[in-house]
Structure formats: structure tokens, C-alpha cells
Short mmCIF file of all heavy atoms in Angstrom, two decimals:
data_model
loop_
_atom_site.label_atom_id
_atom_site.label_comp_id
_atom_site.label_asym_id
_atom_site.label_seq_id
_atom_site.Cartn_x
_atom_site.Cartn_y
_atom_site.Cartn_z
N MET A 1 -15.71 18.14 -3.50
CA MET A 1 -14.49 17.98 -4.26
C MET A 1 -13.35 17.48 -3.38
O MET A 1 -12.54 16.68 -3.80
CB MET A 1 -14.15 19.33 -4.92
CG MET A 1 -12.99 19.26 -5.83
SD MET A 1 -13.45 18.28 -7.26
CE MET A 1 -12.08 18.53 -8.29
N GLU A 2 -13.32 18.01 -2.16
CA GLU A 2 -12.27 17.63 -1.23
C GLU A 2 -12.36 16.14 -0.87
O GLU A 2 -11.34 15.46 -0.75
CB GLU A 2 -12.36 18.48 0.03
CG GLU A 2 -11.25 18.24 1.02
CD GLU A 2 -11.34 19.16 2.22
OE1 GLU A 2 -11.66 20.35 2.03
OE2 GLU A 2 -11.09 18.68 3.32
N GLU A 3 -13.58 15.64 -0.71
CA GLU A 3 -13.77 14.23 -0.38
C GLU A 3 -13.31 13.33 -1.52
O GLU A 3 -12.74 12.26 -1.29
CB GLU A 3 -15.23 13.97 -0.05
CG GLU A 3 -15.71 14.64 1.20
CD GLU A 3 -17.20 14.49 1.39
OE1 GLU A 3 -17.85 13.83 0.56
OE2 GLU A 3 -17.71 15.03 2.37
N ILE A 4 -13.54 13.77 -2.74
CA ILE A 4 -13.12 12.98 -3.91
C ILE A 4 -11.60 12.90 -3.98
O ILE A 4 -11.04 11.84 -4.20
CB ILE A 4 -13.71 13.58 -5.20
CG1 ILE A 4 -15.23 13.45 -5.19
CG2 ILE A 4 -13.12 12.91 -6.43
CD1 ILE A 4 -15.91 14.20 -6.31
N MET A 5 -10.93 14.04 -3.76
CA MET A 5 -9.47 14.06 -3.79
C MET A 5 -8.89 13.19 -2.67
O MET A 5 -7.92 12.47 -2.86
CB MET A 5 -8.94 15.49 -3.67
CG MET A 5 -9.16 16.31 -4.92
SD MET A 5 -8.39 15.58 -6.38
CE MET A 5 -6.68 15.72 -5.95
N GLN A 6 -9.49 13.26 -1.49
CA GLN A 6 -9.03 12.44 -0.37
C GLN A 6 -9.20 10.96 -0.69
O GLN A 6 -8.32 10.15 -0.39
CB GLN A 6 -9.80 12.81 0.89
CG GLN A 6 -9.35 12.06 2.12
CD GLN A 6 -10.13 12.47 3.35
OE1 GLN A 6 -11.09 13.25 3.27
NE2 GLN A 6 -9.74 11.95 4.49
N SER A 7 -10.30 10.60 -1.31
CA SER A 7 -10.54 9.22 -1.69
C SER A 7 -9.53 8.74 -2.73
O SER A 7 -9.02 7.62 -2.64
CB SER A 7 -11.96 9.08 -2.23
OG SER A 7 -12.19 7.79 -2.70
N ILE A 8 -9.25 9.59 -3.71
CA ILE A 8 -8.28 9.23 -4.75
C ILE A 8 -6.89 9.06 -4.16
O ILE A 8 -6.20 8.08 -4.46
CB ILE A 8 -8.29 10.29 -5.87
CG1 ILE A 8 -9.60 10.21 -6.65
CG2 ILE A 8 -7.11 10.11 -6.81
CD1 ILE A 8 -9.81 11.35 -7.63
N ILE A 9 -6.47 9.98 -3.31
CA ILE A 9 -5.14 9.90 -2.70
C ILE A 9 -5.02 8.67 -1.81
O ILE A 9 -4.01 7.98 -1.82
CB ILE A 9 -4.82 11.19 -1.93
CG1 ILE A 9 -4.63 12.33 -2.92
CG2 ILE A 9 -3.59 11.03 -1.06
CD1 ILE A 9 -4.48 13.69 -2.29
N SER A 10 -6.07 8.37 -1.05
CA SER A 10 -6.00 7.18 -0.18
C SER A 10 -5.96 5.90 -1.01
O SER A 10 -5.27 4.94 -0.66
CB SER A 10 -7.15 7.16 0.82
OG SER A 10 -8.38 7.00 0.15
N ALA A 11 -6.68 5.86 -2.13
CA ALA A 11 -6.64 4.68 -3.00
C ALA A 11 -5.26 4.51 -3.62
O ALA A 11 -4.72 3.40 -3.68
CB ALA A 11 -7.70 4.79 -4.09
N ILE A 12 -4.66 5.62 -4.06
CA ILE A 12 -3.31 5.55 -4.61
C ILE A 12 -2.33 5.08 -3.55
O ILE A 12 -1.47 4.22 -3.81
CB ILE A 12 -2.89 6.93 -5.18
CG1 ILE A 12 -3.70 7.24 -6.44
CG2 ILE A 12 -1.40 6.98 -5.48
CD1 ILE A 12 -3.54 8.66 -6.93
N ALA A 13 -2.45 5.61 -2.34
CA ALA A 13 -1.55 5.21 -1.25
C ALA A 13 -1.71 3.73 -0.93
O ALA A 13 -0.72 3.03 -0.70
CB ALA A 13 -1.82 6.06 0.00
N ARG A 14 -2.95 3.22 -0.92
CA ARG A 14 -3.15 1.80 -0.63
C ARG A 14 -2.55 0.92 -1.71
O ARG A 14 -1.95 -0.11 -1.42
CB ARG A 14 -4.65 1.51 -0.46
CG ARG A 14 -5.18 1.90 0.89
CD ARG A 14 -6.55 1.30 1.12
NE ARG A 14 -7.49 1.61 0.06
CZ ARG A 14 -8.33 2.61 0.08
NH1 ARG A 14 -8.37 3.42 1.10
NH2 ARG A 14 -9.16 2.81 -0.92
N HIS A 15 -2.67 1.33 -2.97
CA HIS A 15 -2.09 0.54 -4.06
C HIS A 15 -0.56 0.57 -4.00
O HIS A 15 0.09 -0.46 -4.21
CB HIS A 15 -2.56 1.07 -5.42
CG HIS A 15 -3.88 0.51 -5.83
ND1 HIS A 15 -4.05 -0.80 -6.20
CD2 HIS A 15 -5.10 1.09 -5.93
CE1 HIS A 15 -5.31 -1.00 -6.51
NE2 HIS A 15 -5.98 0.13 -6.34
N ILE A 16 0.02 1.72 -3.70
CA ILE A 16 1.48 1.80 -3.58
C ILE A 16 1.94 0.94 -2.41
O ILE A 16 2.92 0.19 -2.53
CB ILE A 16 1.93 3.25 -3.40
CG1 ILE A 16 1.72 4.03 -4.71
CG2 ILE A 16 3.39 3.33 -2.99
CD1 ILE A 16 1.97 5.51 -4.58
N GLY A 17 1.26 1.03 -1.28
CA GLY A 17 1.64 0.23 -0.12
C GLY A 17 1.51 -1.26 -0.37
O GLY A 17 2.40 -2.04 -0.01
N ALA A 18 0.43 -1.66 -1.00
CA ALA A 18 0.25 -3.09 -1.30
C ALA A 18 1.30 -3.56 -2.29
O ALA A 18 1.84 -4.67 -2.17
CB ALA A 18 -1.15 -3.35 -1.86
N GLY A 19 1.64 -2.71 -3.26
CA GLY A 19 2.69 -3.07 -4.22
C GLY A 19 4.04 -3.23 -3.56
O GLY A 19 4.79 -4.17 -3.87
N ARG A 20 4.38 -2.35 -2.64
CA ARG A 20 5.66 -2.45 -1.92
C ARG A 20 5.68 -3.71 -1.05
O ARG A 20 6.70 -4.40 -0.97
CB ARG A 20 5.90 -1.21 -1.07
CG ARG A 20 6.00 0.07 -1.83
CD ARG A 20 7.16 0.12 -2.77
NE ARG A 20 8.39 0.09 -1.98
CZ ARG A 20 9.57 -0.09 -2.49
NH1 ARG A 20 9.71 -0.24 -3.77
NH2 ARG A 20 10.63 -0.12 -1.73
N ARG A 21 4.57 -3.99 -0.36
CA ARG A 21 4.53 -5.21 0.46
C ARG A 21 4.63 -6.46 -0.40
O ARG A 21 5.30 -7.41 -0.06
CB ARG A 21 3.24 -5.24 1.28
CG ARG A 21 3.24 -4.22 2.39
CD ARG A 21 1.94 -4.19 3.13
NE ARG A 21 1.70 -5.45 3.80
CZ ARG A 21 0.50 -5.87 4.16
NH1 ARG A 21 -0.56 -5.13 3.91
NH2 ARG A 21 0.34 -7.01 4.76
N TYR A 22 3.95 -6.44 -1.55
CA TYR A 22 4.01 -7.58 -2.47
C TYR A 22 5.43 -7.77 -2.98
O TYR A 22 5.93 -8.90 -3.00
CB TYR A 22 3.06 -7.33 -3.65
CG TYR A 22 3.10 -8.40 -4.70
CD1 TYR A 22 2.53 -9.65 -4.45
CD2 TYR A 22 3.69 -8.18 -5.93
CE1 TYR A 22 2.56 -10.64 -5.41
CE2 TYR A 22 3.72 -9.17 -6.90
CZ TYR A 22 3.15 -10.39 -6.63
OH TYR A 22 3.19 -11.37 -7.58
N PHE A 23 6.10 -6.69 -3.37
CA PHE A 23 7.49 -6.77 -3.82
C PHE A 23 8.38 -7.37 -2.73
O PHE A 23 9.18 -8.27 -2.99
CB PHE A 23 7.99 -5.38 -4.21
CG PHE A 23 9.45 -5.34 -4.53
CD1 PHE A 23 9.91 -5.81 -5.75
CD2 PHE A 23 10.36 -4.86 -3.61
CE1 PHE A 23 11.26 -5.78 -6.06
CE2 PHE A 23 11.70 -4.82 -3.90
CZ PHE A 23 12.16 -5.29 -5.13
N PHE A 24 8.23 -6.88 -1.51
CA PHE A 24 9.06 -7.39 -0.41
C PHE A 24 8.81 -8.87 -0.17
O PHE A 24 9.76 -9.65 -0.05
CB PHE A 24 8.77 -6.61 0.87
CG PHE A 24 9.50 -7.16 2.07
CD1 PHE A 24 10.84 -6.90 2.24
CD2 PHE A 24 8.84 -7.94 3.00
CE1 PHE A 24 11.52 -7.43 3.34
CE2 PHE A 24 9.50 -8.46 4.09
CZ PHE A 24 10.85 -8.20 4.26
N LEU A 25 7.55 -9.28 -0.12
CA LEU A 25 7.25 -10.68 0.17
C LEU A 25 7.66 -11.60 -0.98
O LEU A 25 8.08 -12.73 -0.75
CB LEU A 25 5.76 -10.85 0.48
CG LEU A 25 5.32 -10.24 1.81
CD1 LEU A 25 3.81 -10.31 1.94
CD2 LEU A 25 5.98 -10.94 2.97
N ARG A 26 7.54 -11.14 -2.23
CA ARG A 26 7.91 -11.98 -3.37
C ARG A 26 9.42 -12.08 -3.56
O ARG A 26 9.93 -13.13 -3.92
CB ARG A 26 7.28 -11.45 -4.66
CG ARG A 26 5.80 -11.63 -4.73
CD ARG A 26 5.40 -13.06 -4.80
NE ARG A 26 5.73 -13.58 -6.12
CZ ARG A 26 5.53 -14.81 -6.49
NH1 ARG A 26 4.98 -15.66 -5.66
NH2 ARG A 26 5.86 -15.21 -7.68
N ILE A 27 10.14 -10.99 -3.33
CA ILE A 27 11.58 -10.97 -3.57
C ILE A 27 12.36 -11.44 -2.35
O ILE A 27 13.26 -12.27 -2.45
CB ILE A 27 12.04 -9.56 -4.00
CG1 ILE A 27 11.31 -9.11 -5.25
CG2 ILE A 27 13.54 -9.50 -4.18
CD1 ILE A 27 11.52 -10.00 -6.46
N VAL A 28 12.05 -10.90 -1.19
CA VAL A 28 12.83 -11.20 0.01
C VAL A 28 12.40 -12.52 0.65
O VAL A 28 13.24 -13.34 1.01
CB VAL A 28 12.73 -10.04 1.01
CG1 VAL A 28 13.47 -10.35 2.28
CG2 VAL A 28 13.27 -8.76 0.38
N CYS A 29 11.12 -12.74 0.78
CA CYS A 29 10.60 -13.95 1.41
C CYS A 29 10.04 -14.86 0.32
O CYS A 29 8.83 -15.00 0.19
CB CYS A 29 9.52 -13.60 2.43
SG CYS A 29 10.04 -12.44 3.67
N ARG A 30 10.88 -15.47 -0.43
CA ARG A 30 10.46 -16.22 -1.61
C ARG A 30 9.61 -17.45 -1.30
O ARG A 30 8.87 -17.92 -2.13
CB ARG A 30 11.68 -16.66 -2.42
CG ARG A 30 12.39 -15.50 -3.04
CD ARG A 30 13.61 -15.97 -3.78
NE ARG A 30 14.36 -14.80 -4.22
CZ ARG A 30 14.71 -14.60 -5.46
NH1 ARG A 30 14.42 -15.48 -6.38
NH2 ARG A 30 15.38 -13.52 -5.78
N ARG A 31 9.74 -18.00 -0.13
CA ARG A 31 9.01 -19.24 0.18
C ARG A 31 7.55 -19.02 0.50
O ARG A 31 6.78 -19.96 0.54
CB ARG A 31 9.68 -19.95 1.35
CG ARG A 31 11.00 -20.59 0.93
CD ARG A 31 11.68 -21.18 2.10
NE ARG A 31 12.67 -20.16 2.51
CZ ARG A 31 13.36 -20.21 3.61
NH1 ARG A 31 13.19 -21.17 4.45
NH2 ARG A 31 14.23 -19.28 3.88
N LYS A 32 7.14 -17.80 0.74
CA LYS A 32 5.74 -17.54 1.09
C LYS A 32 4.90 -17.35 -0.17
O LYS A 32 5.28 -16.63 -1.07
CB LYS A 32 5.64 -16.29 1.96
CG LYS A 32 6.27 -16.47 3.30
CD LYS A 32 5.91 -15.34 4.20
CE LYS A 32 6.54 -15.59 5.55
NZ LYS A 32 5.81 -15.00 6.60
N ALA A 33 3.77 -18.01 -0.20
CA ALA A 33 2.85 -17.84 -1.32
C ALA A 33 1.96 -16.63 -1.02
O ALA A 33 1.19 -16.63 -0.06
CB ALA A 33 1.99 -19.08 -1.49
N VAL A 34 2.10 -15.61 -1.83
CA VAL A 34 1.33 -14.39 -1.61
C VAL A 34 0.93 -13.82 -2.98
O VAL A 34 1.63 -14.00 -3.96
CB VAL A 34 2.14 -13.36 -0.80
CG1 VAL A 34 3.33 -12.86 -1.58
CG2 VAL A 34 1.28 -12.23 -0.33
N SER A 35 -0.23 -13.19 -3.00
CA SER A 35 -0.67 -12.55 -4.24
C SER A 35 -1.02 -11.09 -3.93
O SER A 35 -1.33 -10.72 -2.81
CB SER A 35 -1.89 -13.27 -4.82
OG SER A 35 -3.00 -13.07 -3.97
N TYR A 36 -0.96 -10.26 -4.97
CA TYR A 36 -1.31 -8.85 -4.82
C TYR A 36 -2.76 -8.72 -4.38
O TYR A 36 -3.09 -7.90 -3.53
CB TYR A 36 -1.07 -8.11 -6.13
CG TYR A 36 -1.37 -6.65 -6.05
CD1 TYR A 36 -0.45 -5.76 -5.52
CD2 TYR A 36 -2.60 -6.14 -6.47
CE1 TYR A 36 -0.72 -4.42 -5.43
CE2 TYR A 36 -2.88 -4.80 -6.38
CZ TYR A 36 -1.93 -3.94 -5.86
OH TYR A 36 -2.21 -2.61 -5.77
N LYS A 37 -3.63 -9.54 -4.95
CA LYS A 37 -5.04 -9.48 -4.61
C LYS A 37 -5.26 -9.79 -3.13
O LYS A 37 -6.08 -9.15 -2.47
CB LYS A 37 -5.82 -10.47 -5.48
CG LYS A 37 -7.30 -10.42 -5.28
CD LYS A 37 -8.02 -11.37 -6.20
CE LYS A 37 -9.51 -11.31 -5.97
NZ LYS A 37 -10.25 -12.23 -6.82
N LYS A 38 -4.52 -10.75 -2.61
CA LYS A 38 -4.65 -11.10 -1.20
C LYS A 38 -4.17 -9.96 -0.29
O LYS A 38 -4.76 -9.70 0.75
CB LYS A 38 -3.85 -12.37 -0.90
CG LYS A 38 -4.00 -12.88 0.50
CD LYS A 38 -3.26 -14.17 0.69
CE LYS A 38 -3.38 -14.66 2.10
NZ LYS A 38 -2.60 -15.87 2.33
N LEU A 39 -3.12 -9.26 -0.70
CA LEU A 39 -2.63 -8.14 0.10
C LEU A 39 -3.57 -6.94 0.04
O LEU A 39 -3.78 -6.26 1.03
CB LEU A 39 -1.24 -7.72 -0.37
CG LEU A 39 -0.09 -8.59 0.05
CD1 LEU A 39 1.20 -8.07 -0.55
CD2 LEU A 39 0.03 -8.65 1.55
N TYR A 40 -4.08 -6.65 -1.15
CA TYR A 40 -4.92 -5.46 -1.30
C TYR A 40 -6.34 -5.69 -0.79
O TYR A 40 -6.91 -4.84 -0.12
CB TYR A 40 -4.95 -5.01 -2.76
CG TYR A 40 -5.63 -3.68 -2.91
CD1 TYR A 40 -5.01 -2.52 -2.46
CD2 TYR A 40 -6.89 -3.58 -3.45
CE1 TYR A 40 -5.62 -1.30 -2.56
CE2 TYR A 40 -7.52 -2.36 -3.57
CZ TYR A 40 -6.88 -1.22 -3.12
OH TYR A 40 -7.51 -0.01 -3.22
N ASN A 41 -6.92 -6.83 -1.10
CA ASN A 41 -8.29 -7.14 -0.67
C ASN A 41 -8.26 -8.33 0.27
O ASN A 41 -8.51 -9.45 -0.13
CB ASN A 41 -9.17 -7.49 -1.88
CG ASN A 41 -9.34 -6.35 -2.81
OD1 ASN A 41 -9.42 -5.22 -2.38
ND2 ASN A 41 -9.40 -6.64 -4.10
N SER A 42 -7.96 -8.06 1.52
CA SER A 42 -7.97 -9.16 2.49
C SER A 42 -9.40 -9.61 2.73
O SER A 42 -10.36 -9.02 2.24
CB SER A 42 -7.31 -8.72 3.79
OG SER A 42 -8.08 -7.72 4.40
N ASP A 43 -9.55 -10.65 3.51
CA ASP A 43 -10.86 -11.24 3.75
C ASP A 43 -11.79 -10.22 4.42
O ASP A 43 -11.56 -9.78 5.54
CB ASP A 43 -10.70 -12.47 4.65
CG ASP A 43 -11.99 -13.25 4.79
OD1 ASP A 43 -12.91 -13.01 3.99
OD2 ASP A 43 -12.05 -14.10 5.69
N LYS A 44 -12.84 -9.82 3.72
CA LYS A 44 -13.75 -8.82 4.26
C LYS A 44 -14.72 -9.40 5.28
O LYS A 44 -15.46 -8.67 5.91
CB LYS A 44 -14.51 -8.14 3.12
CG LYS A 44 -13.61 -7.30 2.25
CD LYS A 44 -14.39 -6.54 1.23
CE LYS A 44 -13.42 -5.71 0.40
NZ LYS A 44 -14.10 -4.89 -0.58
N LYS A 45 -14.69 -10.72 5.46
CA LYS A 45 -15.54 -11.33 6.48
C LYS A 45 -15.01 -11.02 7.88
O LYS A 45 -15.76 -11.00 8.83
CB LYS A 45 -15.60 -12.84 6.28
CG LYS A 45 -16.30 -13.24 5.00
CD LYS A 45 -16.27 -14.72 4.81
CE LYS A 45 -16.85 -15.11 3.45
NZ LYS A 45 -16.69 -16.52 3.18
N ASP A 46 -13.70 -10.81 7.98
CA ASP A 46 -13.08 -10.46 9.25
C ASP A 46 -12.71 -8.97 9.21
O ASP A 46 -11.67 -8.61 8.68
CB ASP A 46 -11.84 -11.32 9.48
CG ASP A 46 -11.21 -11.09 10.83
OD1 ASP A 46 -11.82 -10.39 11.65
OD2 ASP A 46 -10.10 -11.61 11.05
N PRO A 47 -13.56 -8.10 9.75
CA PRO A 47 -13.32 -6.66 9.61
C PRO A 47 -12.02 -6.20 10.27
O PRO A 47 -11.38 -5.27 9.80
CB PRO A 47 -14.52 -6.01 10.27
CG PRO A 47 -15.32 -7.08 10.89
CD PRO A 47 -14.78 -8.40 10.45
N LEU A 48 -11.60 -6.85 11.35
CA LEU A 48 -10.37 -6.44 12.02
C LEU A 48 -9.16 -6.69 11.13
O LEU A 48 -8.29 -5.83 10.97
CB LEU A 48 -10.22 -7.18 13.35
CG LEU A 48 -9.04 -6.76 14.21
CD1 LEU A 48 -9.16 -5.28 14.56
CD2 LEU A 48 -9.00 -7.59 15.47
N ALA A 49 -9.11 -7.86 10.51
CA ALA A 49 -8.00 -8.18 9.61
C ALA A 49 -8.03 -7.27 8.38
O ALA A 49 -6.99 -6.81 7.91
CB ALA A 49 -8.05 -9.64 9.18
N TYR A 50 -9.22 -6.98 7.87
CA TYR A 50 -9.34 -6.10 6.70
C TYR A 50 -8.85 -4.70 7.04
O TYR A 50 -8.10 -4.10 6.28
CB TYR A 50 -10.79 -6.05 6.23
CG TYR A 50 -11.01 -5.12 5.08
CD1 TYR A 50 -10.59 -5.47 3.79
CD2 TYR A 50 -11.60 -3.88 5.26
CE1 TYR A 50 -10.78 -4.61 2.72
CE2 TYR A 50 -11.78 -3.01 4.20
CZ TYR A 50 -11.37 -3.39 2.94
OH TYR A 50 -11.54 -2.53 1.89
N ASN A 51 -9.24 -4.18 8.19
CA ASN A 51 -8.81 -2.84 8.59
C ASN A 51 -7.31 -2.79 8.85
O ASN A 51 -6.66 -1.81 8.51
CB ASN A 51 -9.59 -2.37 9.82
CG ASN A 51 -11.02 -2.05 9.49
OD1 ASN A 51 -11.35 -1.73 8.36
ND2 ASN A 51 -11.89 -2.14 10.48
N ASP A 52 -6.76 -3.83 9.47
CA ASP A 52 -5.31 -3.87 9.70
C ASP A 52 -4.56 -3.87 8.38
O ASP A 52 -3.56 -3.18 8.23
CB ASP A 52 -4.93 -5.11 10.51
CG ASP A 52 -5.29 -5.00 11.97
OD1 ASP A 52 -5.58 -3.87 12.41
OD2 ASP A 52 -5.29 -6.03 12.66
N ASN A 53 -5.03 -4.64 7.43
CA ASN A 53 -4.38 -4.72 6.13
C ASN A 53 -4.49 -3.39 5.39
O ASN A 53 -3.53 -2.91 4.80
CB ASN A 53 -5.01 -5.85 5.31
CG ASN A 53 -4.10 -6.31 4.20
OD1 ASN A 53 -2.90 -6.08 4.23
ND2 ASN A 53 -4.68 -6.96 3.22
N ALA A 54 -5.66 -2.77 5.41
CA ALA A 54 -5.85 -1.48 4.75
C ALA A 54 -4.99 -0.41 5.41
O ALA A 54 -4.40 0.43 4.74
CB ALA A 54 -7.32 -1.08 4.78
N PHE A 55 -4.87 -0.47 6.73
CA PHE A 55 -4.05 0.50 7.46
C PHE A 55 -2.57 0.32 7.10
O PHE A 55 -1.87 1.31 6.85
CB PHE A 55 -4.25 0.33 8.96
CG PHE A 55 -3.44 1.28 9.79
CD1 PHE A 55 -3.79 2.62 9.84
CD2 PHE A 55 -2.35 0.85 10.50
CE1 PHE A 55 -3.04 3.50 10.60
CE2 PHE A 55 -1.60 1.72 11.26
CZ PHE A 55 -1.95 3.06 11.32
N ALA A 56 -2.11 -0.92 7.05
CA ALA A 56 -0.70 -1.18 6.69
C ALA A 56 -0.42 -0.72 5.27
O ALA A 56 0.61 -0.08 5.01
CB ALA A 56 -0.39 -2.66 6.84
N ASN A 57 -1.30 -1.02 4.34
CA ASN A 57 -1.11 -0.58 2.95
C ASN A 57 -1.12 0.94 2.85
O ASN A 57 -0.29 1.53 2.16
CB ASN A 57 -2.20 -1.17 2.05
CG ASN A 57 -2.06 -2.65 1.86
OD1 ASN A 57 -1.01 -3.22 2.09
ND2 ASN A 57 -3.13 -3.29 1.44
N GLY A 58 -2.05 1.57 3.55
CA GLY A 58 -2.14 3.03 3.50
C GLY A 58 -0.94 3.72 4.11
O GLY A 58 -0.42 4.68 3.55
N CYS A 59 -0.47 3.22 5.25
CA CYS A 59 0.70 3.82 5.90
C CYS A 59 1.94 3.69 5.02
O CYS A 59 2.69 4.66 4.83
CB CYS A 59 0.96 3.17 7.26
SG CYS A 59 -0.19 3.70 8.51
N LEU A 60 2.17 2.50 4.51
CA LEU A 60 3.34 2.30 3.66
C LEU A 60 3.25 3.14 2.39
O LEU A 60 4.24 3.73 1.96
CB LEU A 60 3.49 0.82 3.32
CG LEU A 60 4.77 0.43 2.60
CD1 LEU A 60 6.00 0.82 3.41
CD2 LEU A 60 4.79 -1.06 2.34
N GLY A 61 2.08 3.22 1.83
CA GLY A 61 1.89 4.05 0.64
C GLY A 61 2.14 5.52 0.92
O GLY A 61 2.77 6.22 0.12
N MET A 62 1.66 6.02 2.05
CA MET A 62 1.87 7.42 2.39
C MET A 62 3.35 7.71 2.65
O MET A 62 3.84 8.79 2.31
CB MET A 62 1.02 7.82 3.60
CG MET A 62 -0.46 7.86 3.29
SD MET A 62 -0.87 8.89 1.88
CE MET A 62 -1.02 10.46 2.67
N VAL A 63 4.06 6.77 3.24
CA VAL A 63 5.50 6.94 3.45
C VAL A 63 6.22 7.06 2.11
O VAL A 63 7.07 7.93 1.92
CB VAL A 63 6.08 5.78 4.29
CG1 VAL A 63 7.59 5.76 4.25
CG2 VAL A 63 5.59 5.87 5.72
N VAL A 64 5.87 6.20 1.16
CA VAL A 64 6.48 6.25 -0.17
C VAL A 64 6.15 7.57 -0.86
O VAL A 64 7.03 8.20 -1.46
CB VAL A 64 6.03 5.04 -1.03
CG1 VAL A 64 6.47 5.20 -2.47
CG2 VAL A 64 6.56 3.74 -0.45
N ILE A 65 4.91 8.02 -0.77
CA ILE A 65 4.53 9.30 -1.38
C ILE A 65 5.29 10.45 -0.72
O ILE A 65 5.78 11.35 -1.41
CB ILE A 65 3.00 9.51 -1.28
CG1 ILE A 65 2.28 8.53 -2.22
CG2 ILE A 65 2.62 10.95 -1.63
CD1 ILE A 65 0.77 8.53 -2.06
N ALA A 66 5.43 10.42 0.60
CA ALA A 66 6.16 11.48 1.30
C ALA A 66 7.63 11.50 0.88
O ALA A 66 8.21 12.58 0.66
CB ALA A 66 6.05 11.28 2.81
N ILE A 67 8.24 10.34 0.74
CA ILE A 67 9.64 10.28 0.30
C ILE A 67 9.78 10.82 -1.12
O ILE A 67 10.71 11.57 -1.41
CB ILE A 67 10.18 8.83 0.41
CG1 ILE A 67 10.32 8.45 1.88
CG2 ILE A 67 11.50 8.68 -0.32
CD1 ILE A 67 10.63 6.99 2.11
N LEU A 68 8.85 10.46 -2.00
CA LEU A 68 8.89 10.98 -3.36
C LEU A 68 8.74 12.50 -3.39
O LEU A 68 9.44 13.18 -4.14
CB LEU A 68 7.79 10.33 -4.21
CG LEU A 68 7.99 8.86 -4.56
CD1 LEU A 68 6.77 8.33 -5.28
CD2 LEU A 68 9.24 8.68 -5.42
N ILE A 69 7.85 13.04 -2.57
CA ILE A 69 7.68 14.49 -2.51
C ILE A 69 8.95 15.16 -2.00
O ILE A 69 9.40 16.18 -2.55
CB ILE A 69 6.45 14.86 -1.65
CG1 ILE A 69 5.17 14.47 -2.37
CG2 ILE A 69 6.45 16.35 -1.30
CD1 ILE A 69 3.92 14.60 -1.54
N LEU A 70 9.55 14.60 -0.96
CA LEU A 70 10.79 15.17 -0.43
C LEU A 70 11.91 15.14 -1.46
O LEU A 70 12.68 16.11 -1.59
CB LEU A 70 11.22 14.43 0.84
CG LEU A 70 10.37 14.68 2.07
CD1 LEU A 70 10.80 13.77 3.21
CD2 LEU A 70 10.47 16.13 2.48
N LEU A 71 12.02 14.05 -2.20
CA LEU A 71 13.05 13.97 -3.23
C LEU A 71 12.78 14.97 -4.35
O LEU A 71 13.74 15.58 -4.88
CB LEU A 71 13.13 12.55 -3.78
CG LEU A 71 13.72 11.51 -2.84
CD1 LEU A 71 13.59 10.11 -3.45
CD2 LEU A 71 15.16 11.83 -2.53
N MET A 72 11.53 15.14 -4.73
CA MET A 72 11.21 16.11 -5.78
C MET A 72 11.52 17.54 -5.32
O MET A 72 12.06 18.33 -6.09
CB MET A 72 9.74 16.00 -6.19
CG MET A 72 9.45 14.77 -7.01
SD MET A 72 7.82 14.71 -7.77
CE MET A 72 6.71 15.17 -6.49
N VAL A 73 11.20 17.85 -4.08
CA VAL A 73 11.49 19.20 -3.56
C VAL A 73 12.99 19.43 -3.50
O VAL A 73 13.47 20.52 -3.84
CB VAL A 73 10.83 19.38 -2.17
CG1 VAL A 73 11.36 20.61 -1.47
CG2 VAL A 73 9.33 19.45 -2.30
N LYS A 74 13.73 18.43 -3.11
CA LYS A 74 15.18 18.60 -2.95
C LYS A 74 15.87 18.75 -4.29
O LYS A 74 16.80 19.55 -4.43
CB LYS A 74 15.74 17.40 -2.20
CG LYS A 74 17.22 17.51 -1.92
CD LYS A 74 17.72 16.36 -1.09
CE LYS A 74 19.21 16.53 -0.83
NZ LYS A 74 19.72 15.45 -0.01
N TYR A 75 15.48 17.96 -5.28
CA TYR A 75 16.23 17.92 -6.54
C TYR A 75 15.60 18.71 -7.68
O TYR A 75 16.19 18.82 -8.74
CB TYR A 75 16.43 16.47 -6.97
CG TYR A 75 17.37 15.75 -6.04
CD1 TYR A 75 16.91 14.73 -5.22
CD2 TYR A 75 18.71 16.09 -5.97
CE1 TYR A 75 17.76 14.06 -4.37
CE2 TYR A 75 19.56 15.44 -5.11
CZ TYR A 75 19.09 14.43 -4.29
OH TYR A 75 19.94 13.78 -3.45
N LEU A 76 14.42 19.25 -7.51
CA LEU A 76 13.80 20.04 -8.59
C LEU A 76 13.85 21.50 -8.31
O LEU A 76 13.93 22.04 -7.34
CB LEU A 76 12.36 19.60 -8.83
CG LEU A 76 12.21 18.21 -9.42
CD1 LEU A 76 10.74 17.90 -9.61
CD2 LEU A 76 12.91 18.09 -10.75
#
């Protein structure tokens, strides 16, 4: 059960992180052509690039989740 919860939380964190990166690249850096699919599923032929992308998405997602938890604790 613990492994399933860890998998679900990591998937949610990766989606949140990829969404935040997509928002930043689309709004702030308008000249770059980027898609959500490209950010979330990088080229799996290059494992180093795939792991770097998954790590960046996961870290950013966990930061967003941590901020949301802190805000909920403070204001609820």
C-alpha cells in the first residue's frame, strides 16, 4: 500500500511540476516552442535527459505541494 501511495504522490508531483514549467515557458518565454507532452515525457532514448527532466518536474512539483501544505496549515 505504501508503494502505491508513493507512486501516486510522485506522479502528482511530476504533473504539477511539468504544468508549472509549461506555464512559465509559455507565458514568460513566448518565443520558445514547447508542449506539455515534451516536458512531461522527454525522449526516453536518452536516459540521462529523461531522468533530468523527471527530476526537475518532481522537484518543482514537490515544492508546490509543500507550499500548498504550509498555506493550508497556516490559514486553516
